[in-house]
Amino acid sequence: MELNTQADHFKSLPRQSDEGPSNLESYCTVATGIHGYEAALLMNSIRIHSDKKIYLLTDDLGEECLGEDIPSNVDVTKIPDGLLNERRKEFPENLGDIWPDCASWGDLWNPAEGSLKMDIMSKAIKGSGNTLFLDADIIMVNPVTCNFKHPVSLSPHEITEEACQAYGIYNAGYVYSSDPEFPEFWANAFRNDSNFLEQECLGRVYKKYDTSLFSEAHNYGLWKSSFSNVDSNKDQLLTELGISAGDDIYLNRKKMVSFHAHLKPKEAQQYISYNLVRAFYECLNRSTKETHKILMGFICDTFLPKSRMLGLGEPYPVTV
C-alpha cells in the first residue's frame, strides 16, 4: 500500500514501544571539524545512561577538538584521506541545484558529511548487531529502553503535511537499524531518490523494510519548539510545549528520552533554536534527577567552556 502523507504513515506503521527491556547494542555518530565538538555532549550524555559501544566517525580536526572529552568504550574511526573530498565532488556547492528547498539555507547542511552517516552505521551494525545513529547535536536525558522488533525505526517530525512534503516525514538525525544492508540502501536512496538531502527519502523506507516509529519522547527538536512565543516566560513556554520537569523530564506526561538541540548554534539557527534551548536548560534546572544534575555539570564545567574556547556557534542570549 502506498503511504503518501504523514497521516498515512501514522495510521499504517506501528509505534516503537519504550517499555523494554532494551535490546539496543550500540550507538553511532559523525563529528567533523570544530562543530564536531557537539559530539562530546552527545557521547557523554549517552554514557550517563548506557555502557554500550559508541562508534564515532571523525576527521583530524574533529578528533583534536574532542580530545579527552571522548568517553570510554568509543570506537573511533578516522575518515580516510581523500574520502570527504570525493564525497564533496558528488554534490555541487550550490545545494539548490539539487534540492531547491535548500537554496536559502546556506551552509547549514553539508550533504557530503551527511553521506558519512551511512558509513558509520554500516560499521556499527556489522560490529554490534544493531545501532542507533544520532546526529552530533542529540542530547540524551534518559536511557533508550526500546525492545526493537523491526529492522528499522524512524523518528517522525510530527509537523504539518506541507512541511513533511518539503523536508520529509522523518528526521535523518535519529535512525535505528539492525539490517546490515540498510545503510547502503539509505545511501542509494539519498543519491537517487530524495527531494531533500538524506532525509526526505526516509519516507519510502517502509517499501523495503518493516518499519516502526519512535515515540514523541525521542528526538524533540526545533521543528516542534520554534512555533512557540519567544516572549513567553519559562512557565508559559513549558506549558505551550507540553513539557514538565520535577522528578524527571516529561513530554505530555511521558518520560523524555532525548532533545535535538544545538546549544551553541550557528547564527542562522539562533532564532529558531531559542525556545528549544530555553526549554532544555529549564528542564535540567527543574529536574531533581541525579543523572540530570550530572549532565548539567558536564555542560557547565566542560562543554560550554570548551565550546567558547573553540568558537563554536555564535554569541547566544540563553545562559545557564
Side-chain angles (χ1 to χ4, degrees):
M1 181 175 64
E2 193 79 15
L3 306 180
N4 296 313
T5 67
Q6 177 179 235
D8 291 340
H9 283 248
F10 289 171
K11 185 183 299 184
S12 302
L13 301 181
R15 284 284 180 171
Q16 171 58 54
S17 170
D18 290 314
E19 292 302 315
S22 174
N23 60 350
L24 180 63
E25 294 299 333
S26 73
Y27 301 82
C28 61
T29 193
V30 175
T32 58
I34 291 173
H35 283 272
Y37 183 67
E38 287 185 313
L41 180 52
L42 164 65
M43 293 188 292
N44 281 277
S45 71
I46 290 172
R47 196 51 76 233
I48 290 171
H49 305 287
S50 172
D51 61 358
K52 297 295 185 181
K53 182 175 286 187
I54 302 169
Y55 292 83
L56 169 66
L57 182 60
T58 188
D59 59 2
D60 289 333
L61 182 54
E63 185 177 37
E64 180 183 346
C65 292
L66 287 164
E68 62 185 16
D69 296 329
I70 297 175
S72 61
N73 199 20
V74 174
D75 181 293
V76 179
T77 300
K78 295 286 285 296
I79 299 171
D81 291 342
L83 176 61
L84 203 48
N85 287 333
E86 289 177 18
R87 296 287 173 89
R88 285 170 179 154
K89 290 178 182 178
E90 290 187 59
F91 304 97
E93 200 166 303
N94 181 7
L95 299 185
D97 290 346
I98 303 180
W99 301 288
D101 286 313
C102 293
S104 62
W105 289 92
D107 64 350
L108 285 182
W109 292 293
N110 184 318
E113 294 179 1
S115 73
L116 298 173
K117 296 181 180 185
M118 300 79 174
D119 294 83
I120 195 61
M121 211 175 176
S122 178
K123 180 175 182 178
I125 294 171
K126 290 174 182 176
S128 293
N130 66 39
T131 197
L132 176 59
F133 174 84
L134 301 171
D135 274 352
D137 58 324
I138 301 288
I139 308 168
M140 308 302 294
V141 295
N142 270 309
V144 175
T145 55
C146 302
N147 189 332
F148 294 100
K149 304 293 187 181
H150 299 81
V152 176
S153 289
L154 301 174
S155 176
H157 283 122
E158 302 191 49
I159 48 179
T160 66
E161 291 288 359
E162 182 181 13
C164 284
Q165 292 301 315
Y167 305 114
I169 294 171
Y170 302 106
N171 184 256
Y174 209 94
V175 179
Y176 164 86
S177 185
S178 60
D179 192 307
E181 296 182 0
F182 173 76
E184 183 176 359
F185 169 83
W186 187 13
N188 289 331
F190 169 32
R191 289 167 170 82
N192 303 306
D193 182 33
S194 194
N195 294 325
F196 184 77
L197 301 169
E198 75 277 17
Q199 186 161 276
E200 189 272 338
C201 59
L202 292 174
R204 290 176 287 285
V205 166
Y206 76 92
K207 294 183 177 183
K208 183 172 177 64
Y209 293 98
D210 288 338
T211 303
S212 62
L213 311 184
F214 283 106
S215 74
E216 65 176 357
H218 294 257
N219 196 31
Y220 189 90
L222 58 82
W223 48 90
K224 294 181 179 178
S225 63
S226 59
F227 303 105
S228 302
N229 187 347
V230 296
D231 297 320
S232 60
N233 63 41
K234 294 173 181 177
D235 288 333
Q236 291 172 324
L237 173 64
L238 294 187
T239 298
E240 290 169 3
L241 299 179
I243 296 174
S244 61
D247 64 325
D248 211 314
I249 299 172
Y250 299 90
L251 175 63
N252 298 324
R253 300 183 179 181
K254 296 180 180 179
K255 284 186 182 181
M256 186 85 84
V257 177
S258 50
F259 285 82
H260 195 153
H262 295 282
L263 297 191
K264 298 287 287 181
K266 297 177 181 179
E267 185 175 5
Q269 289 178 311
Q270 283 193 15
Y271 180 78
I272 58 174
S273 298
Y274 178 68
N275 275 327
L276 177 61
V277 177
R278 275 209 301 161
F280 171 75
Y281 280 137
E282 190 60 20
C283 286
L284 288 191
N285 280 327
R286 294 187 182 196
S287 175
T288 60
K289 195 170 185 177
E290 184 61 27
T291 54
H292 296 154
K293 295 181 185 299
I294 295 171
L295 178 59
M296 182 65 100
F298 178 80
I299 291 171
C300 293
D301 298 339
T302 303
F303 180 75
L304 289 178
K306 191 163 180 180
S307 294
R308 285 190 286 268
M309 181 188 74
L310 292 170
L312 196 67
E314 302 290 335
Y316 199 59
V318 174
T319 57
V320 183

